[in-house]
Amino acid sequence: MSTFDPTAFLPDDLLERIRERAPIHDRENTFPQQDLDELRDAGYLSILVPTERGGAGLGLAEAAILQQRLAGAAPATALAINMHLVWTGVAKVFSDRGVPGLEFVQDGAVAGEVFAFGISEGGNDLVLFGSDTTAVPDGNGGYAFTGTKIFTSLAPVWTRLGLHGLDTTSPDATKLVFAFVERTDAVTTSDDWDTLGMRGTQSRTTRLNGAVADAAHVVRRIDPGPSPDPIVFGIFSVFEILLASVYTGIAGRALELAVATAQKRHSKKTGLAYSQDPDIRWRIADMGLAYDALPPQIAALARDVDDRVDNGARWFPLLSGVKHRAITMAKHVVDEAMLVAGGGSYFSANELSRLYRDVLAGAFHPSDPESAHSTAASALLGPIEG
């Protein structure tokens, strides 16, 4: 059996260039266009596309490893690329299961198109199961979408936006419609991304005013609410696993920096390296113990998706759980790394300072802690009565 080599897809020299640019984009609040260009040239946008369609033919398990690696160099770049990979990952879930409809995503990714994720809406805690965006049928199988999407990563550069909206006017309404729109005058992108961290994602607000998806790019019409439909499983599984991967990658980098700092710093009191201090050793060991749990969990769940394992109702607590644990672990590891590094890590120029701010974004991605715990409770105890 051949061993997967991450450096074949993310070479060390490419990662170092991306790492060098990360603080600039954070400081200047700009999109990492050069990162995207180099990743596109390296074929990274099509890693999840089957080889017969011109892609690298990787599975979600390999993509998760690569995203951990990319996040260790530039978390915001990895998180932005995540949203494109989500759609190519959903297309893979479809094709692996013999479900047609997303071949254009695979072909577009190979051609260099950039797919963005337009699902999040302010105040919509239904997320995948509902929408405040209206989807009005055009009579020819297409839809016009009107509404506001938030946290639209890749906002300056996407070529197609995958989104959902609610059709309340068709004879069989109400239906939740998943489709893709192009960037036209009916789509307005606000320049409103000025955040604490993850600044390079440029996840700006997107306003739709009758943005049209033609019939060929309407992927799914399903009932609102929880659904076994492959669009729901595909988005939820790929999104949660790749998100967990990004934040696990941040934790891995923070641990790396903490170890390097402990070996380099010396105590004035004892003259010894901090790596010989029992308290520092305990702190770093605690970081390692926390971090080591996540990569195997991510790998196992990703392989289950790739292998089409039927986890039934267990899928949702498993997926929301791994995302929740990854965020909790990553925040803990970065917090501890800051303490190991000392006051120098408090300066903006220090990489740990950026990781400290970037990791906070994890709390705002679905599934949030409340949803993850509710899902786990329902799986273990059954639904709330009454």
Side-chain angles (χ1 to χ4, degrees), residues 157-333:
V157 298
W158 61 262
T159 58
R160 291 187 190 270
L161 179 67
L163 45 67
H164 69 344
L166 207 60
D167 173 7
T168 60
T169 63
S170 293
D172 63 346
T174 300
K175 293 291 183 180
L176 200 56
V177 182
F178 291 82
F180 287 77
V181 301
E182 296 181 354
R183 191 187 289 274
T184 66
D185 290 343
V187 180
T188 303
T189 300
S190 301
D191 188 7
D192 60 352
W193 188 250
D194 188 7
T195 51
L196 182 66
M198 289 294 187
R199 287 158 65 82
T201 66
Q202 291 301 302
S203 305
R204 304 174 186 178
T205 300
T206 302
R207 293 183 172 82
L208 310 162
N209 186 20
V212 174
D214 59 30
H217 298 112
V218 174
V219 179
R220 226 62 184 167
R221 293 178 74 254
I222 64 174
D223 293 333
S227 169
D229 194 274
I231 192 72
V232 173
F233 173 75
I235 292 174
F236 195 74
S237 59
V238 180
F239 189 89
E240 298 291 81
I241 287 170
L242 291 183
L243 263 182
S245 300
V246 167
Y247 288 93
T248 297
I250 294 174
R253 178 59 177 168
L255 177 57
E256 208 174 83
L257 292 171
V259 169
T261 301
Q263 292 171 335
K264 181 174 61 178
R265 293 181 70 199
H266 285 74
S267 168
K268 290 289 186 182
K269 184 188 298 183
T270 66
L272 298 174
Y274 272 50
S275 59
Q276 302 305 303
D277 183 307
D279 294 327
I280 296 294
R281 292 175 67 85
W282 186 93
R283 197 177 293 281
I284 288 178
D286 187 59
M287 294 164 63
L289 290 168
Y291 168 78
D292 284 345
L294 263 298
Q297 293 180 46
I298 293 170
L301 280 179
R303 282 195 299 270
D304 275 4
V305 175
D306 288 334
D307 295 343
R308 301 184 289 284
V309 173
D310 182 10
N311 283 314
R314 287 282 293 149
W315 265 122
F316 287 97
L318 288 171
L319 292 164
S320 60
V322 77
K323 182 269 178 180
H324 173 73
R325 288 190 296 276
I327 303 303
T328 303
M329 176 278 295
K331 189 174 185 303
H332 167 70
V333 168

Side-chain angles (χ1 to χ4, degrees), residues 91-131:
K92 176 176 166 52
V93 167
F94 271 41
S95 61
D96 285 351
R97 289 156 179 77
V99 180
L102 283 174
E103 292 82 4
F104 71 89
V105 169
Q106 296 176 328
D107 295 339
V110 171
E113 284 204 66
V114 178
F115 294 88
F117 195 70
I119 299 295
S120 296
E121 299 168 341
N124 178 18
D125 58 357
L126 292 172
V127 196
L128 282 178
F129 302 148
S131 176

